[in-house]
């Protein structure tokens, strides 16, 4: 199938698919005329890429999942590397939350107290 059909079937845009390709997440076959060609399995791979990105992972993070993008991930990622990547991203999020809570506390402290 061509890129437009893949976009329709995967519920995304051609632009997103090209971005995934630029990031090394998709590797389409090229026809003799240069058109991108995708097989049926790519629909599921794109769904998994979208799922992983929706979790807050970056395209760089998703590269660790390349060996298992063709597997069912709706119940959670299944790659051995996935736990490490997710734990690392979670630690980053927790650090950001702690920093924001500190800012919140300082801002609350700067407000005048009701009398």
């Amino acid at each position: 199938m061509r890129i437009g059909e893949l976009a329709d079937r995967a519920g995304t845009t051609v632009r997103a698919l090209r971005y995934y390709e630029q990031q090394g997440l998709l590797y389409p076959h090229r026809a003799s005329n240069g058109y991108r060609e995708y097989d049926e399995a790519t629909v599921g791979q794109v769904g998994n890429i979208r799922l992983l990105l929706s979790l807050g992972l970056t395209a760089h993070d998703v590269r660790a999942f390349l060996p298992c993008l063709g597997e069912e991930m709706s119940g959670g990622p299944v790659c051995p590397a996935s736990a490490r990547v997710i734990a690392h991203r979670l630690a980053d999020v927790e650090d950001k939350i702690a920093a924001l809570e500190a800012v919140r506390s300082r801002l609350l402290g700067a407000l005048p107290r009701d009398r």
Side-chain angles (χ1 to χ4, degrees):
M1 77 185 83
R2 291 201 183 141
I3 195 167
E5 182 181 351
L6 174 60
D8 288 343
R9 296 202 39 216
T12 191
T13 64
V14 168
R15 184 175 179 186
L17 296 175
R18 287 185 180 133
Y19 172 76
Y20 300 158
E21 183 181 343
Q22 289 171 345
Q23 296 301 308
L25 303 178
L26 287 181
Y27 296 94
H29 304 285
R30 292 287 182 159
S32 60
N33 59 7
Y35 288 176
R36 293 168 176 87
E37 291 186 343
Y38 301 90
D39 58 24
E40 188 66 31
T42 310
V43 176
Q45 292 170 344
V46 171
N48 285 334
I49 292 168
R50 295 181 70 214
L51 170 68
L52 294 167
L53 293 173
S54 75
L55 294 175
L57 299 176
T58 66
H60 184 282
D61 294 334
V62 174
R63 284 190 208 121
F65 295 81
L66 287 177
C68 61
L69 281 179
E71 299 176 27
E72 175 61 38
M73 288 189 186
S74 62
V78 294
C79 291
S82 66
R84 288 187 301 276
V85 172
I86 291 170
H88 182 269
R89 184 60 52 210
L90 180 60
D92 288 346
V93 168
E94 288 173 344
D95 289 345
K96 289 175 184 173
I97 289 170
L100 287 170
E101 286 175 344
V103 170
R104 180 179 184 270
S105 179
R106 288 192 303 271
L107 289 170
L108 285 171
L111 288 174
R113 293 201 166 90
D114 292 336
R115 294 180 189 214

